[in-house]
Amino acid sequence: MTTSRISGFYKLTLEERRAKLADASQLRPYNLLPFTNGLSAEAADHMIENTIGTFVLPLGIGLNFMVNGRDVLVPMAIEEPSVVAGASFMAKLARSGGGFIATTTEPLMIGQMQVINITNLEEAKFKLYEHKAELLAEADSIDPVLKKFGGGARDLEVRIIDDSPIGGFLVVHLIYDVRDAMGANAVNTACERLAPKVESITGGKVHLRILSNLADRRLARVRCVIPFKELSFEGYSGDQVRDGIIAAYAFAASDPYRAATHNKGIMNGVDAVVIATGNDWRAIEAGAHAYAARSGRYTSLSTWNKDKDGNLVGTLEMPMAVGIIGGATKVHPAAQAAVKLMNVKTASELAEIIVSVGLAQNMAALRALATEGIQRGHMSLHARQVAIAAGASGDMIEKVAAQMVAEKVVRIDRAEEILKSIKG
Ligand code: NAD
């Protein structure tokens, strides 16, 4: 059984961490090699155009995560300091309340067809519904592999847009179960294939045929309960921290300026896992923010309240169009290793872990903001990056960073001065 609790992990050397990780995940050390060897330039050359090399990000492990009763070691690819530490610490607190309880809807994606040049929109809409069974049967036959795994066309919906800059047109939504794929290719292919039939039924012209990234039929949900006593630290009582987090959430729930930053914190955790697994983070970002604005006013993706016992309860609900099949998930060796490390067998399981990390990261930011402020924790980690930018290497990095933190001046000019004085 994997354990996600590895004490003192941060104090170990890189080599020691890899050895501990192999032990804790019960994987062979060679399973973890892709995290160091990464993607070869040759493999990269097959992925995009005009390739000249690869761009590498740090990969850290989110610890202490328990999702639906199972320990998970979470690979996180991110350049920003304090995200991995923050998520791991909050996962530890959540663990004391039973961990993260996550669910997903069916993996339904939406493909859109824009039908223009129609004289009677209402009539065309009804005609499409009359031919729904036939259209779905055609869409269903397009991807036999997907069908074999239980996916395929599920529904067809027709919307009328009558106030656009070019006047009225129809939008046909094809609802497609994409199982363990992100699904863009399957859905786009199905839309392109259906277009001629949609044209002959409506007498119009099918213009765009493309997946929607507002994947609101493919949601992941997660909830966690933090016993309020666990929230106390330094001079802050558990009640104080809990109420501070709830008040911070109320700000995000009511104000788009705050909600954007609040949701960015969620995406710190979400994107790190999405990237580590080779998934399309632009798609996830687009879906998240569109979903956050679904009521017409942009708001928080998460909620924070207290239960009858005074414990802190957090929830997060967002679209999660990730796959473990197709796209870069199957091509990038580190993405494959990431999926293996988490021991996920379906895209839904991956989605459940990702939203758990998003909620943990959200809480890390809210807890800091509602108490000592974000800079204290962040700056000590940021100081190391500033020290490196100023030219520090080896032991010097920690020395320069520590002095800047002690002086509470974390700036490149100061880092350069400190470096000069240490060297001199
Ligand atoms: P894909 O086409 O590479 O793989 C999916 C296919 O794998 C399925 O269609 C099916 O034939 C097969 N398959 C095998 N086992 C399966 C299983 N268990 N479950 C489901 N399918 C299985 O990948 P994709 O997920 O369709 O496309 C993802 C890629 O599309 C990403 O790279 C993304 O960046 C890109 N993309 C995104 C957009 C967008 O977000 N708007 C648009 C175009 C392309």
Side-chain angles (χ1 to χ4, degrees):
M1 287 281 276
T2 295
T3 172
S4 63
R5 303 214 56 182
I6 313 177
S7 67
F9 195 65
Y10 68 100
K11 293 184 204 147
L12 305 176
T13 63
L14 286 166
E15 278 307 321
E16 288 168 340
R17 282 189 204 133
R18 287 182 199 128
K20 281 269 185 202
L21 186 63
D23 274 356
S25 60
Q26 295 177 331
L27 290 178
R28 302 256 174 229
Y30 72 80
N31 291 131
L32 306 177
L33 275 181
F35 293 136
T36 26
N37 297 350
L39 182 72
S40 69
E42 290 69 34
D45 194 24
H46 296 296
M47 291 174 73
I48 62 159
E49 312 73 39
N50 299 352
T51 308
I52 54 144
T54 55
F55 180 88
V56 181
L57 282 176
L59 186 96
I61 301 294
L63 296 174
N64 306 316
F65 277 90
M66 185 164 74
V67 180
N68 294 337
R70 187 171 79 84
D71 269 28
V72 208
L73 289 152
V74 188
M76 299 174 74
I78 187 160
E79 85 298 344
E80 186 177 343
S82 73
V83 171
V84 178
S88 300
F89 184 52
M90 295 311 137
K92 194 166 161 189
L93 296 188
R95 212 181 161 86
S96 62
F100 297 93
I101 312 296
T103 55
T104 46
T105 61
E106 292 295 299
L108 299 178
M109 296 298 286
I110 300 169
Q112 296 194 294
M113 283 168 274
Q114 179 193 22
V115 199
I116 57 173
N117 302 345
I118 294 180
T119 33
N120 188 333
L121 292 170
E122 203 62 42
E123 184 192 29
K125 172 175 145 177
F126 274 73
K127 280 187 177 170
L128 282 167
Y129 279 128
E130 287 157 26
H131 288 84
K132 180 167 144 175
E134 175 191 335
L135 286 163
L136 286 182
E138 166 124 16
D140 209 29
S141 66
I142 287 164
D143 194 330
V145 181
L146 192 51
K147 202 159 166 54
K148 191 178 95 191
F149 288 102
R154 291 290 180 266
D155 205 359
L156 195 95
E157 292 164 358
V158 188
R159 297 162 51 210
I160 292 177
I161 306 268
D162 49 19
D163 56 355
S164 90
I166 59 152
F169 57 83
L170 284 186
V171 180
V172 182
H173 278 190
L174 173 65
I175 316 295
Y176 216 86
D177 185 326
V178 298
R179 291 289 100 195
D180 298 314
M182 182 267 183
N185 289 319
V187 169
N188 293 343
T189 307
C191 287
E192 291 192 3
R193 190 75 75 81
L194 280 193
K197 208 161 235 159
V198 168
E199 288 183 342
S200 78
I201 294 167
T202 59
K205 175 177 164 30
V206 175
H207 191 46
L208 301 197
R209 299 146 297 170
I210 179 80
L211 164 111
S212 169
N213 286 116
L214 175 50
D216 61 0
R217 306 293 177 91
R218 194 179 190 180
L219 299 175
R221 299 185 174 98
V222 62
R223 180 176 64 85
C224 70
V225 179
I226 319 284
F228 73 93
K229 287 193 180 116
E230 296 287 330
L231 289 165
S232 66
F233 73 103
E234 292 176 11
Y236 302 95
S237 71
D239 303 34
Q240 245 179 327
V241 178
R242 176 200 61 206
D243 295 344
I245 289 174
I246 294 171
Y249 151 66
F251 187 3
S254 324
D255 173 32
Y257 286 91
R258 173 60 207 146
T261 325
H262 176 97
N263 290 340
K264 190 272 182 186
I266 293 172
M267 300 314 284
N268 275 344
V270 166
D271 284 342
V273 192
V274 170
I275 293 170
T277 52
N279 273 290
D280 183 339
W281 73 93
R282 288 85 54 208
I284 300 301
E285 284 280 343
H289 298 294
Y291 194 66
R294 67 194 181 283
S295 70
R297 184 171 62 86
Y298 187 89
T299 187
S300 167
L301 286 166
S302 65
T303 70
W304 291 95
N305 288 296
K306 62 180 174 185
D307 67 11
K308 62 176 179 13
D309 301 317
N311 298 321
L312 180 68
V313 182
T315 69
L316 171 63
E317 175 183 288
M318 61 186 288
M320 194 47 68
V322 288
I324 55 168
I325 295 288
T329 61
K330 272 280 186 238
V331 178
H332 199 303
Q336 284 288 286
V339 168
K340 205 171 177 72
L341 178 65
M342 286 184 281
N343 197 15
V344 289
K345 302 283 184 254
T346 63
S348 294
E349 276 180 82
L350 174 59
E352 287 163 3
I353 293 170
I354 293 173
V355 281
S356 302
V357 180
L359 188 61
Q361 187 52 40
N362 182 214
M363 187 176 139
L366 294 185
R367 175 182 172 273
L369 285 168
T371 55
E372 60 192 12
I374 205 85
Q375 286 306 73
R376 189 181 139 194
H378 195 72
M379 270 307 169
S380 55
L381 291 158
H382 177 59
R384 282 200 245 154
Q385 281 189 344
V386 174
I388 295 167
S393 60
D395 292 351
M396 290 291 179
I397 300 171
E398 266 324 309
K399 282 186 187 152
V400 175
Q403 190 166 333
M404 284 194 292
V405 170
E407 293 174 2
K408 295 196 169 74
V409 181
V410 182
R411 275 199 331 254
I412 187 130
D413 55 331
R414 185 61 192 134
E416 282 164 358
E417 282 168 18
I418 298 170
L419 193 60
K420 218 173 181 179
S421 78
I422 297 178
K423 278 183 176 165

